[in-house]
Amino acid sequence: MTRQLDEQIAGRFPVGQRLRVLDVGMGQGTQALRLLRAGHRVTGLERDARMLSAAHEALAAEPEGVRERMRIIEGDGRDTGVHFLPGSFDVVLCHGVLMYVEEPDPLVAGLARMLAPGGLLSLLVRNGDALAMRPGLSGDWRSALAAFDTTAYTNRLGLDVRADRLEALTATLAGIGAPLYAWYGVRVFTDTVPDGTPPPAAEDELSALLAAEERAGRTDPYRRVAALLHLCGVRG
């Protein structure tokens, strides 16, 4: 997903432009800190106390010149209008958040309002059109059959959450003035790998794995059965 996001940023903004980035549900700050180190100004919004602590700890390890370009705010992604003015950001990230929101459309509309004209909205969601893939490939046939007719699922943390379908999110983005510009699949081949499995130790094997996932993530029909979808909308 990092490569996909960098591709969209590079194709939309001049090289060297210092972007205003909002990361909603930033977690421990992996993407936020990466973009911060690239020279951008980043605001992270997170409500989970453990994630906030981890993000602050990670930020404290950065050089002062980097730290001063980041702001971390405790808050909910549905309250962006409370914290920021419309059009305040060039890039808005919302990765791995919508699955925890019962009604995602108001949240996505609020995110789009934060974008300046031509700004990029990056969403990472669970693929509701491929919920049967993980149980099916694992031989859990009853769960696979049940997954065809729902967007609800239980994640690896044991939480009951929801997925999004590409067609529905495409319509949502068009309706809020940030139509879909590009989309990718994420975790096409590696979704059934057990949690905690280390990446390949050999550099050439790791490179081949990443290349295969990246290629599949932008190629039909593979991307349509990815565990996650990465959608990029552009504010009109």
Side-chain angles (χ1 to χ4, degrees), residues 37-87:
R37 297 181 193 116
H40 305 302
R41 294 191 176 276
V42 181
T43 300
L45 187 64
E46 176 58 57
R47 68 177 184 177
D48 185 273
R50 292 173 299 174
M51 293 293 101
L52 280 168
S53 178
H56 279 291
E57 183 177 347
L59 181 62
E62 298 293 326
E64 181 179 357
V66 174
R67 294 199 307 269
E68 67 185 12
R69 286 187 280 104
M70 184 165 184
R71 214 171 26 140
I72 297 177
I73 299 174
E74 182 177 0
D76 192 291
R78 289 166 288 196
D79 298 327
T80 49
V82 174
H83 300 287
F84 316 111
L85 293 174

mmCIF file of all heavy atoms in Angstrom, residues 37-87:
data_model
loop_
_atom_site.group_PDB
_atom_site.id
_atom_site.type_symbol
_atom_site.label_atom_id
_atom_site.label_comp_id
_atom_site.label_asym_id
_atom_site.label_seq_id
_atom_site.Cartn_x
_atom_site.Cartn_y
_atom_site.Cartn_z
ATOM 1 N N ARG A 37 8.843 12.182 7.497
ATOM 2 C CA ARG A 37 10.272 12.112 7.139
ATOM 3 C C ARG A 37 10.507 12.523 5.693
ATOM 4 O O ARG A 37 11.616 12.953 5.336
ATOM 5 C CB ARG A 37 10.800 10.699 7.372
ATOM 6 C CG ARG A 37 10.754 10.257 8.831
ATOM 7 C CD ARG A 37 11.311 8.855 8.993
ATOM 8 N NE ARG A 37 11.003 8.315 10.314
ATOM 9 C CZ ARG A 37 10.228 7.248 10.521
ATOM 10 N NH1 ARG A 37 9.710 6.597 9.481
ATOM 11 N NH2 ARG A 37 9.996 6.825 11.738
ATOM 12 N N ALA A 38 9.482 12.385 4.856
ATOM 13 C CA ALA A 38 9.607 12.783 3.452
ATOM 14 C C ALA A 38 9.506 14.297 3.270
ATOM 15 O O ALA A 38 9.618 14.791 2.143
ATOM 16 C CB ALA A 38 8.534 12.086 2.621
ATOM 17 N N GLY A 39 9.260 15.018 4.354
ATOM 18 C CA GLY A 39 9.260 16.474 4.295
ATOM 19 C C GLY A 39 7.909 17.137 4.415
ATOM 20 O O GLY A 39 7.815 18.372 4.355
ATOM 21 N N HIS A 40 6.849 16.372 4.585
ATOM 22 C CA HIS A 40 5.514 16.946 4.627
ATOM 23 C C HIS A 40 5.124 17.371 6.046
ATOM 24 O O HIS A 40 5.751 16.965 7.028
ATOM 25 C CB HIS A 40 4.498 15.941 4.081
ATOM 26 C CG HIS A 40 4.844 15.446 2.712
ATOM 27 N ND1 HIS A 40 4.997 16.299 1.625
ATOM 28 C CD2 HIS A 40 5.107 14.194 2.243
ATOM 29 C CE1 HIS A 40 5.312 15.597 0.548
ATOM 30 N NE2 HIS A 40 5.395 14.320 0.902
ATOM 31 N N ARG A 41 4.075 18.173 6.138
ATOM 32 C CA ARG A 41 3.493 18.543 7.430
ATOM 33 C C ARG A 41 2.327 17.598 7.704
ATOM 34 O O ARG A 41 1.414 17.493 6.885
ATOM 35 C CB ARG A 41 3.004 19.990 7.411
ATOM 36 C CG ARG A 41 4.133 21.006 7.275
ATOM 37 C CD ARG A 41 3.651 22.427 7.528
ATOM 38 N NE ARG A 41 4.755 23.365 7.490
ATOM 39 C CZ ARG A 41 5.546 23.628 8.523
ATOM 40 N NH1 ARG A 41 5.330 23.016 9.675
ATOM 41 N NH2 ARG A 41 6.527 24.489 8.417
ATOM 42 N N VAL A 42 2.364 16.951 8.839
ATOM 43 C CA VAL A 42 1.411 15.872 9.104
ATOM 44 C C VAL A 42 0.660 16.122 10.400
ATOM 45 O O VAL A 42 1.256 16.500 11.417
ATOM 46 C CB VAL A 42 2.133 14.509 9.183
ATOM 47 C CG1 VAL A 42 1.135 13.387 9.443
ATOM 48 C CG2 VAL A 42 2.913 14.237 7.893
ATOM 49 N N THR A 43 -0.641 15.900 10.338
ATOM 50 C CA THR A 43 -1.489 15.917 11.524
ATOM 51 C C THR A 43 -2.080 14.527 11.697
ATOM 52 O O THR A 43 -2.669 13.980 10.762
ATOM 53 C CB THR A 43 -2.630 16.946 11.386
ATOM 54 O OG1 THR A 43 -2.066 18.253 11.204
ATOM 55 C CG2 THR A 43 -3.507 16.942 12.629
ATOM 56 N N GLY A 44 -1.898 13.960 12.871
ATOM 57 C CA GLY A 44 -2.445 12.638 13.155
ATOM 58 C C GLY A 44 -3.602 12.738 14.119
ATOM 59 O O GLY A 44 -3.515 13.443 15.131
ATOM 60 N N LEU A 45 -4.697 12.048 13.797
ATOM 61 C CA LEU A 45 -5.883 12.040 14.648
ATOM 62 C C LEU A 45 -6.117 10.599 15.103
ATOM 63 O O LEU A 45 -6.255 9.689 14.272
ATOM 64 C CB LEU A 45 -7.090 12.563 13.868
ATOM 65 C CG LEU A 45 -8.394 12.781 14.629
ATOM 66 C CD1 LEU A 45 -8.216 13.870 15.683
ATOM 67 C CD2 LEU A 45 -9.514 13.176 13.661
ATOM 68 N N GLU A 46 -6.165 10.382 16.410
ATOM 69 C CA GLU A 46 -6.317 9.029 16.954
ATOM 70 C C GLU A 46 -7.039 9.113 18.300
ATOM 71 O O GLU A 46 -6.772 10.017 19.094
ATOM 72 C CB GLU A 46 -4.942 8.372 17.127
ATOM 73 C CG GLU A 46 -4.932 7.012 17.764
ATOM 74 C CD GLU A 46 -5.767 5.993 17.016
ATOM 75 O OE1 GLU A 46 -5.514 5.778 15.805
ATOM 76 O OE2 GLU A 46 -6.689 5.422 17.627
ATOM 77 N N ARG A 47 -7.923 8.151 18.562
ATOM 78 C CA ARG A 47 -8.659 8.178 19.828
ATOM 79 C C ARG A 47 -8.200 7.117 20.823
ATOM 80 O O ARG A 47 -8.482 7.231 22.009
ATOM 81 C CB ARG A 47 -10.150 8.017 19.575
ATOM 82 C CG ARG A 47 -10.571 6.652 19.053
ATOM 83 C CD ARG A 47 -12.070 6.578 18.919
ATOM 84 N NE ARG A 47 -12.508 5.237 18.498
ATOM 85 C CZ ARG A 47 -13.777 4.889 18.358
ATOM 86 N NH1 ARG A 47 -14.720 5.773 18.589
ATOM 87 N NH2 ARG A 47 -14.080 3.669 17.981
ATOM 88 N N ASP A 48 -7.499 6.075 20.357
ATOM 89 C CA ASP A 48 -7.075 4.990 21.232
ATOM 90 C C ASP A 48 -5.849 5.414 22.031
ATOM 91 O O ASP A 48 -4.823 5.796 21.458
ATOM 92 C CB ASP A 48 -6.767 3.748 20.406
ATOM 93 C CG ASP A 48 -6.433 2.556 21.278
ATOM 94 O OD1 ASP A 48 -5.250 2.401 21.636
ATOM 95 O OD2 ASP A 48 -7.353 1.780 21.609
ATOM 96 N N ALA A 49 -5.940 5.316 23.355
ATOM 97 C CA ALA A 49 -4.867 5.806 24.222
ATOM 98 C C ALA A 49 -3.562 5.053 24.003
ATOM 99 O O ALA A 49 -2.477 5.650 24.019
ATOM 100 C CB ALA A 49 -5.295 5.693 25.689
ATOM 101 N N ARG A 50 -3.627 3.745 23.769
ATOM 102 C CA ARG A 50 -2.406 2.968 23.557
ATOM 103 C C ARG A 50 -1.723 3.364 22.254
ATOM 104 O O ARG A 50 -0.490 3.483 22.190
ATOM 105 C CB ARG A 50 -2.727 1.479 23.564
ATOM 106 C CG ARG A 50 -3.160 0.926 24.914
ATOM 107 C CD ARG A 50 -3.615 -0.505 24.779
ATOM 108 N NE ARG A 50 -4.765 -0.607 23.870
ATOM 109 C CZ ARG A 50 -5.297 -1.755 23.469
ATOM 110 N NH1 ARG A 50 -4.776 -2.904 23.857
ATOM 111 N NH2 ARG A 50 -6.342 -1.756 22.661
ATOM 112 N N MET A 51 -2.524 3.566 21.211
ATOM 113 C CA MET A 51 -1.952 3.980 19.939
ATOM 114 C C MET A 51 -1.361 5.386 20.029
ATOM 115 O O MET A 51 -0.292 5.666 19.463
ATOM 116 C CB MET A 51 -3.017 3.924 18.849
ATOM 117 C CG MET A 51 -3.501 2.531 18.493
ATOM 118 S SD MET A 51 -2.219 1.514 17.693
ATOM 119 C CE MET A 51 -1.685 0.502 19.087
ATOM 120 N N LEU A 52 -2.037 6.262 20.753
ATOM 121 C CA LEU A 52 -1.518 7.623 20.935
ATOM 122 C C LEU A 52 -0.168 7.596 21.646
ATOM 123 O O LEU A 52 0.762 8.305 21.263
ATOM 124 C CB LEU A 52 -2.513 8.457 21.746
ATOM 125 C CG LEU A 52 -3.709 9.020 20.987
ATOM 126 C CD1 LEU A 52 -4.743 9.566 21.968
ATOM 127 C CD2 LEU A 52 -3.273 10.119 20.024
ATOM 128 N N SER A 53 -0.074 6.762 22.674
ATOM 129 C CA SER A 53 1.185 6.660 23.413
ATOM 130 C C SER A 53 2.304 6.150 22.514
ATOM 131 O O SER A 53 3.431 6.680 22.533
ATOM 132 C CB SER A 53 0.995 5.718 24.607
ATOM 133 O OG SER A 53 2.203 5.549 25.314
ATOM 134 N N ALA A 54 1.996 5.141 21.696
ATOM 135 C CA ALA A 54 3.003 4.596 20.789
ATOM 136 C C ALA A 54 3.427 5.629 19.752
ATOM 137 O O ALA A 54 4.620 5.735 19.409
ATOM 138 C CB ALA A 54 2.459 3.350 20.103
ATOM 139 N N ALA A 55 2.468 6.403 19.242
ATOM 140 C CA ALA A 55 2.784 7.429 18.249
ATOM 141 C C ALA A 55 3.657 8.527 18.841
ATOM 142 O O ALA A 55 4.627 8.981 18.222
ATOM 143 C CB ALA A 55 1.501 8.012 17.676
ATOM 144 N N HIS A 56 3.317 8.962 20.051
ATOM 145 C CA HIS A 56 4.128 9.991 20.712
ATOM 146 C C HIS A 56 5.547 9.486 20.971
ATOM 147 O O HIS A 56 6.526 10.228 20.798
ATOM 148 C CB HIS A 56 3.471 10.412 22.035
ATOM 149 C CG HIS A 56 2.370 11.404 21.875
ATOM 150 N ND1 HIS A 56 2.599 12.712 21.482
ATOM 151 C CD2 HIS A 56 1.025 11.295 22.062
ATOM 152 C CE1 HIS A 56 1.438 13.370 21.436
ATOM 153 N NE2 HIS A 56 0.470 12.531 21.777
ATOM 154 N N GLU A 57 5.664 8.240 21.372
ATOM 155 C CA GLU A 57 6.980 7.662 21.633
ATOM 156 C C GLU A 57 7.805 7.596 20.356
ATOM 157 O O GLU A 57 9.001 7.928 20.355
ATOM 158 C CB GLU A 57 6.819 6.271 22.238
ATOM 159 C CG GLU A 57 8.129 5.612 22.624
ATOM 160 C CD GLU A 57 7.939 4.262 23.280
ATOM 161 O OE1 GLU A 57 6.789 3.930 23.655
ATOM 162 O OE2 GLU A 57 8.941 3.524 23.419
ATOM 163 N N ALA A 58 7.174 7.180 19.270
ATOM 164 C CA ALA A 58 7.882 7.104 17.995
ATOM 165 C C ALA A 58 8.294 8.493 17.513
ATOM 166 O O ALA A 58 9.405 8.683 16.995
ATOM 167 C CB ALA A 58 7.015 6.413 16.953
ATOM 168 N N LEU A 59 7.410 9.463 17.676
ATOM 169 C CA LEU A 59 7.721 10.828 17.247
ATOM 170 C C LEU A 59 8.866 11.407 18.057
ATOM 171 O O LEU A 59 9.717 12.130 17.515
ATOM 172 C CB LEU A 59 6.478 11.707 17.385
ATOM 173 C CG LEU A 59 6.644 13.168 16.955
ATOM 174 C CD1 LEU A 59 6.990 13.261 15.474
ATOM 175 C CD2 LEU A 59 5.354 13.959 17.246
ATOM 176 N N ALA A 60 8.928 11.084 19.334
ATOM 177 C CA ALA A 60 9.978 11.620 20.199
ATOM 178 C C ALA A 60 11.362 11.170 19.759
ATOM 179 O O ALA A 60 12.365 11.836 20.061
ATOM 180 C CB ALA A 60 9.728 11.198 21.642
ATOM 181 N N ALA A 61 11.436 10.069 19.039
ATOM 182 C CA ALA A 61 12.719 9.559 18.573
ATOM 183 C C ALA A 61 13.208 10.258 17.301
ATOM 184 O O ALA A 61 14.348 10.023 16.872
ATOM 185 C CB ALA A 61 12.630 8.057 18.330
ATOM 186 N N GLU A 62 12.369 11.091 16.710
ATOM 187 C CA GLU A 62 12.743 11.791 15.479
ATOM 188 C C GLU A 62 13.536 13.056 15.793
ATOM 189 O O GLU A 62 13.396 13.638 16.871
ATOM 190 C CB GLU A 62 11.481 12.156 14.687
ATOM 191 C CG GLU A 62 10.660 10.974 14.227
ATOM 192 C CD GLU A 62 11.368 10.127 13.193
ATOM 193 O OE1 GLU A 62 12.123 10.696 12.370
ATOM 194 O OE2 GLU A 62 11.180 8.894 13.208
ATOM 195 N N PRO A 63 14.360 13.530 14.852
ATOM 196 C CA PRO A 63 15.081 14.794 15.054
ATOM 197 C C PRO A 63 14.105 15.954 15.250
ATOM 198 O O PRO A 63 12.969 15.929 14.777
ATOM 199 C CB PRO A 63 15.880 14.957 13.755
ATOM 200 C CG PRO A 63 15.957 13.582 13.181
ATOM 201 C CD PRO A 63 14.697 12.892 13.576
ATOM 202 N N GLU A 64 14.562 16.980 15.931
ATOM 203 C CA GLU A 64 13.693 18.115 16.254
ATOM 204 C C GLU A 64 13.096 18.741 14.999
ATOM 205 O O GLU A 64 11.915 19.122 14.978
ATOM 206 C CB GLU A 64 14.474 19.167 17.043
ATOM 207 C CG GLU A 64 13.616 20.365 17.440
ATOM 208 C CD GLU A 64 14.390 21.396 18.239
ATOM 209 O OE1 GLU A 64 15.589 21.141 18.536
ATOM 210 O OE2 GLU A 64 13.823 22.449 18.559
ATOM 211 N N GLY A 65 13.895 18.864 13.948
ATOM 212 C CA GLY A 65 13.393 19.479 12.723
ATOM 213 C C GLY A 65 12.274 18.699 12.083
ATOM 214 O O GLY A 65 11.464 19.249 11.333
ATOM 215 N N VAL A 66 12.217 17.398 12.360
ATOM 216 C CA VAL A 66 11.129 16.559 11.870
ATOM 217 C C VAL A 66 9.926 16.655 12.810
ATOM 218 O O VAL A 66 8.792 16.816 12.375
ATOM 219 C CB VAL A 66 11.600 15.092 11.736
ATOM 220 C CG1 VAL A 66 10.436 14.173 11.372
ATOM 221 C CG2 VAL A 66 12.700 14.992 10.691
ATOM 222 N N ARG A 67 10.187 16.572 14.100
ATOM 223 C CA ARG A 67 9.107 16.603 15.100
ATOM 224 C C ARG A 67 8.242 17.850 14.984
ATOM 225 O O ARG A 67 7.023 17.793 15.159
ATOM 226 C CB ARG A 67 9.684 16.524 16.513
ATOM 227 C CG ARG A 67 10.362 15.223 16.855
ATOM 228 C CD ARG A 67 10.480 15.070 18.368
ATOM 229 N NE ARG A 67 11.100 16.212 19.009
ATOM 230 C CZ ARG A 67 12.415 16.336 19.235
ATOM 231 N NH1 ARG A 67 13.236 15.366 18.847
ATOM 232 N NH2 ARG A 67 12.907 17.404 19.836
ATOM 233 N N GLU A 68 8.855 18.976 14.678
ATOM 234 C CA GLU A 68 8.112 20.229 14.681
ATOM 235 C C GLU A 68 7.101 20.329 13.541
ATOM 236 O O GLU A 68 6.247 21.208 13.549
ATOM 237 C CB GLU A 68 9.082 21.406 14.615
ATOM 238 C CG GLU A 68 9.850 21.521 13.306
ATOM 239 C CD GLU A 68 10.888 22.619 13.313
ATOM 240 O OE1 GLU A 68 11.174 23.149 14.401
ATOM 241 O OE2 GLU A 68 11.397 22.955 12.229
ATOM 242 N N ARG A 69 7.178 19.420 12.577
ATOM 243 C CA ARG A 69 6.222 19.432 11.472
ATOM 244 C C ARG A 69 5.041 18.487 11.694
ATOM 245 O O ARG A 69 4.238 18.291 10.802
ATOM 246 C CB ARG A 69 6.936 19.065 10.163
ATOM 247 C CG ARG A 69 7.806 20.171 9.616
ATOM 248 C CD ARG A 69 8.374 19.847 8.238
ATOM 249 N NE ARG A 69 9.542 18.969 8.328
ATOM 250 C CZ ARG A 69 9.533 17.698 8.047
ATOM 251 N NH1 ARG A 69 8.405 17.103 7.646
ATOM 252 N NH2 ARG A 69 10.635 16.960 8.143
ATOM 253 N N MET A 70 4.937 17.915 12.892
ATOM 254 C CA MET A 70 3.836 16.989 13.152
ATOM 255 C C MET A 70 3.033 17.418 14.367
ATOM 256 O O MET A 70 3.569 17.875 15.376
ATOM 257 C CB MET A 70 4.355 15.567 13.368
ATOM 258 C CG MET A 70 3.227 14.558 13.542
ATOM 259 S SD MET A 70 3.779 12.857 13.362
ATOM 260 C CE MET A 70 2.194 12.017 13.495
ATOM 261 N N ARG A 71 1.730 17.225 14.230
ATOM 262 C CA ARG A 71 0.794 17.475 15.308
ATOM 263 C C ARG A 71 0.000 16.205 15.546
ATOM 264 O O ARG A 71 -0.483 15.580 14.591
ATOM 265 C CB ARG A 71 -0.164 18.601 14.886
ATOM 266 C CG ARG A 71 -0.608 19.481 16.000
ATOM 267 C CD ARG A 71 -1.376 20.716 15.546
ATOM 268 N NE ARG A 71 -2.078 20.633 14.286
ATOM 269 C CZ ARG A 71 -3.289 21.168 14.086
ATOM 270 N NH1 ARG A 71 -3.935 21.747 15.060
ATOM 271 N NH2 ARG A 71 -3.855 21.100 12.911
ATOM 272 N N ILE A 72 -0.157 15.793 16.800
ATOM 273 C CA ILE A 72 -0.955 14.622 17.147
ATOM 274 C C ILE A 72 -2.124 15.089 18.000
ATOM 275 O O ILE A 72 -1.933 15.771 19.013
ATOM 276 C CB ILE A 72 -0.122 13.573 17.904
ATOM 277 C CG1 ILE A 72 1.010 13.055 17.015
ATOM 278 C CG2 ILE A 72 -1.002 12.415 18.359
ATOM 279 C CD1 ILE A 72 1.942 12.070 17.707
ATOM 280 N N ILE A 73 -3.334 14.728 17.567
ATOM 281 C CA ILE A 73 -4.550 15.161 18.245
ATOM 282 C C ILE A 73 -5.345 13.942 18.686
ATOM 283 O O ILE A 73 -5.541 13.004 17.912
ATOM 284 C CB ILE A 73 -5.410 16.045 17.322
ATOM 285 C CG1 ILE A 73 -4.639 17.298 16.914
ATOM 286 C CG2 ILE A 73 -6.734 16.413 17.984
ATOM 287 C CD1 ILE A 73 -5.346 18.152 15.894
ATOM 288 N N GLU A 74 -5.808 13.948 19.911
ATOM 289 C CA GLU A 74 -6.694 12.898 20.384
ATOM 290 C C GLU A 74 -8.108 13.216 19.926
ATOM 291 O O GLU A 74 -8.651 14.278 20.247
ATOM 292 C CB GLU A 74 -6.646 12.790 21.907
ATOM 293 C CG GLU A 74 -7.520 11.679 22.454
ATOM 294 C CD GLU A 74 -7.412 11.519 23.967
ATOM 295 O OE1 GLU A 74 -6.645 12.291 24.586
ATOM 296 O OE2 GLU A 74 -8.098 10.640 24.520
ATOM 297 N N GLY A 75 -8.699 12.320 19.155
ATOM 298 C CA GLY A 75 -10.039 12.599 18.656
ATOM 299 C C GLY A 75 -10.548 11.507 17.747
ATOM 300 O O GLY A 75 -9.813 10.587 17.362
ATOM 301 N N ASP A 76 -11.805 11.624 17.392
ATOM 302 C CA ASP A 76 -12.506 10.651 16.561
ATOM 303 C C ASP A 76 -12.560 11.161 15.125
ATOM 304 O O ASP A 76 -12.771 12.354 14.889
ATOM 305 C CB ASP A 76 -13.922 10.451 17.108
ATOM 306 C CG ASP A 76 -14.613 9.254 16.495
ATOM 307 O OD1 ASP A 76 -14.935 9.317 15.282
ATOM 308 O OD2 ASP A 76 -14.849 8.271 17.204
ATOM 309 N N GLY A 77 -12.407 10.251 14.171
ATOM 310 C CA GLY A 77 -12.435 10.633 12.767
ATOM 311 C C GLY A 77 -13.749 11.230 12.321
ATOM 312 O O GLY A 77 -13.798 11.943 11.310
ATOM 313 N N ARG A 78 -14.816 10.967 13.067
ATOM 314 C CA ARG A 78 -16.114 11.531 12.708
ATOM 315 C C ARG A 78 -16.252 12.982 13.132
ATOM 316 O O ARG A 78 -17.251 13.631 12.824
ATOM 317 C CB ARG A 78 -17.230 10.677 13.328
ATOM 318 C CG ARG A 78 -17.385 9.315 12.678
ATOM 319 C CD ARG A 78 -18.234 8.360 13.470
ATOM 320 N NE ARG A 78 -17.536 7.900 14.682
ATOM 321 C CZ ARG A 78 -17.904 6.854 15.402
ATOM 322 N NH1 ARG A 78 -18.958 6.149 15.040
ATOM 323 N NH2 ARG A 78 -17.231 6.499 16.481
ATOM 324 N N ASP A 79 -15.246 13.500 13.836
ATOM 325 C CA ASP A 79 -15.310 14.872 14.347
ATOM 326 C C ASP A 79 -14.264 15.779 13.706
ATOM 327 O O ASP A 79 -13.796 16.726 14.322
ATOM 328 C CB ASP A 79 -15.122 14.869 15.871
ATOM 329 C CG ASP A 79 -16.206 14.091 16.592
ATOM 330 O OD1 ASP A 79 -17.352 14.093 16.115
ATOM 331 O OD2 ASP A 79 -15.899 13.475 17.635
ATOM 332 N N THR A 80 -13.898 15.490 12.466
ATOM 333 C CA THR A 80 -12.880 16.318 11.814
ATOM 334 C C THR A 80 -13.320 17.783 11.721
ATOM 335 O O THR A 80 -12.490 18.688 11.818
ATOM 336 C CB THR A 80 -12.568 15.794 10.399
ATOM 337 O OG1 THR A 80 -13.793 15.588 9.691
ATOM 338 C CG2 THR A 80 -11.805 14.474 10.468
ATOM 339 N N GLY A 81 -14.628 18.008 11.545
ATOM 340 C CA GLY A 81 -15.127 19.378 11.454
ATOM 341 C C GLY A 81 -14.956 20.177 12.728
ATOM 342 O O GLY A 81 -14.969 21.412 12.699
ATOM 343 N N VAL A 82 -14.795 19.496 13.854
ATOM 344 C CA VAL A 82 -14.567 20.167 15.129
ATOM 345 C C VAL A 82 -13.133 20.691 15.214
ATOM 346 O O VAL A 82 -12.866 21.743 15.797
ATOM 347 C CB VAL A 82 -14.846 19.200 16.302
ATOM 348 C CG1 VAL A 82 -14.477 19.833 17.644
ATOM 349 C CG2 VAL A 82 -16.297 18.752 16.299
ATOM 350 N N HIS A 83 -12.219 19.970 14.616
ATOM 351 C CA HIS A 83 -10.791 20.282 14.760
ATOM 352 C C HIS A 83 -10.213 21.105 13.617
ATOM 353 O O HIS A 83 -9.237 21.837 13.833
ATOM 354 C CB HIS A 83 -9.996 18.976 14.863
ATOM 355 C CG HIS A 83 -10.377 18.106 16.010
ATOM 356 N ND1 HIS A 83 -10.048 18.399 17.312
ATOM 357 C CD2 HIS A 83 -11.078 16.932 16.054
ATOM 358 C CE1 HIS A 83 -10.508 17.456 18.122
ATOM 359 N NE2 HIS A 83 -11.135 16.558 17.378
ATOM 360 N N PHE A 84 -10.785 20.993 12.418
ATOM 361 C CA PHE A 84 -10.153 21.588 11.246
ATOM 362 C C PHE A 84 -11.173 22.325 10.385
ATOM 363 O O PHE A 84 -12.356 21.989 10.371
ATOM 364 C CB PHE A 84 -9.485 20.502 10.382
ATOM 365 C CG PHE A 84 -8.703 19.491 11.177
ATOM 366 C CD1 PHE A 84 -9.149 18.182 11.278
ATOM 367 C CD2 PHE A 84 -7.528 19.854 11.816
ATOM 368 C CE1 PHE A 84 -8.443 17.242 12.010
ATOM 369 C CE2 PHE A 84 -6.803 18.932 12.552
ATOM 370 C CZ PHE A 84 -7.266 17.614 12.647
ATOM 371 N N LEU A 85 -10.677 23.288 9.620
ATOM 372 C CA LEU A 85 -11.512 24.000 8.663
ATOM 373 C C LEU A 85 -11.577 23.212 7.355
ATOM 374 O O LEU A 85 -10.622 22.518 6.991
ATOM 375 C CB LEU A 85 -10.935 25.389 8.395
ATOM 376 C CG LEU A 85 -10.967 26.375 9.562
ATOM 377 C CD1 LEU A 85 -10.224 27.648 9.180
ATOM 378 C CD2 LEU A 85 -12.409 26.694 9.962
ATOM 379 N N PRO A 86 -12.677 23.325 6.614
ATOM 380 C CA PRO A 86 -12.752 22.660 5.304
ATOM 381 C C PRO A 86 -11.608 23.103 4.401
ATOM 382 O O PRO A 86 -11.191 24.265 4.414
ATOM 383 C CB PRO A 86 -14.108 23.122 4.764
ATOM 384 C CG PRO A 86 -14.913 23.447 5.978
ATOM 385 C CD PRO A 86 -13.937 24.014 6.976
ATOM 386 N N GLY A 87 -11.104 22.169 3.610
ATOM 387 C CA GLY A 87 -10.041 22.491 2.660
ATOM 388 C C GLY A 87 -8.675 22.672 3.274
ATOM 389 O O GLY A 87 -7.783 23.241 2.642
#
